[in-house]
Amino acid sequence: MSLNWTFIGQSLTFFVFVWACWKFIWPPLISAMRERQQAIADGLSHAERAAKDLQLAQDRATDQMREAKEEAAVLIEQARGRANAMIEEAKNAAREEGERIKEAARAEIDQEVNRAKEALRAQVAALAVNGAERILGASVDTSAHSRMLEELAAEL
């Protein structure tokens, strides 16, 4: 019989222990596990959202890099075009300046030729007067002769 009373006492103690655990220990433990489970679920959802945001940011960064490269290519092409235009402008300006210098040189050469012709005319006139004086043996009026040569040069 003592075995029965021991068994009943142990059973009763066990049921009191289970009831106390069920009433006082199990609810805070369950709520702590649920809170922990919720925190883990929230953390996982935040991590997934962060991964999506990171992917979106990487995609945007890739798009911006591509756009920046395209804009840079356009700017480089515009700069090359402007440089070529500037080179062409400089070439044209140099050609125009060369033509202007050639024209100035031609005008100067023409003036020199005219001066040389006038000097030759004067020398020819002086030689003609000198030769005529020798041939005629008389003095020839140089002022009248130079007037006549000027009139003749004007006609030519």
Side-chain angles (χ1 to χ4, degrees):
M1 203 151 162
S2 71
L3 189 68
N4 285 339
W5 280 109
T6 306
F7 182 72
I8 291 174
Q10 287 176 350
S11 296
L12 184 63
T13 306
F14 179 73
F15 286 123
V16 170
F17 175 74
V18 168
W19 176 80
C21 285
W22 191 269
K23 184 78 175 170
F24 299 110
I25 296 175
W26 192 252
L29 192 61
I30 291 292
S31 68
M33 286 192 317
R34 284 188 182 145
E35 288 174 7
R36 180 72 179 146
Q37 185 179 18
Q38 186 63 39
I40 289 171
D42 290 344
L44 288 174
S45 68
H46 288 304
E48 288 175 7
R49 239 180 290 138
K52 287 178 185 176
D53 290 344
L54 177 63
Q55 185 62 38
L56 288 174
Q58 286 176 341
D59 292 343
R60 271 188 260 140
T62 302
D63 290 343
Q64 287 177 348
M65 287 294 288
R66 182 181 36 80
E67 289 174 4
K69 285 180 182 179
E70 289 172 0
E71 287 177 17
V74 167
L75 289 175
I76 288 171
E77 191 59 35
Q78 287 175 349
R80 284 184 184 148
R82 182 63 184 140
N84 289 338
M86 290 173 65
I87 289 170
E88 287 300 317
E89 288 174 8
K91 284 180 182 178
N92 290 338
R95 282 188 198 112
E96 290 173 3
E97 184 66 22
E99 289 296 321
R100 214 175 8 255
I101 290 171
K102 281 182 190 177
E103 290 299 320
R106 285 185 188 134
E108 190 175 328
I109 288 171
D110 288 342
Q111 288 176 353
E112 287 294 322
V113 167
N114 288 337
R115 278 190 228 130
K117 284 180 182 178
E118 290 297 321
L120 283 175
R121 281 188 190 129
Q123 287 178 359
V124 167
L127 286 175
V129 169
N130 201 5
E133 281 181 355
R134 285 190 188 166
I135 293 173
L136 295 174
S139 174
V140 177
D141 187 14
T142 55
S143 63
H145 183 66
S146 63
R147 259 195 325 238
M148 193 170 29
L149 285 176
E150 287 175 8
E151 289 173 6
L152 190 65
E155 288 178 15
L156 294 176

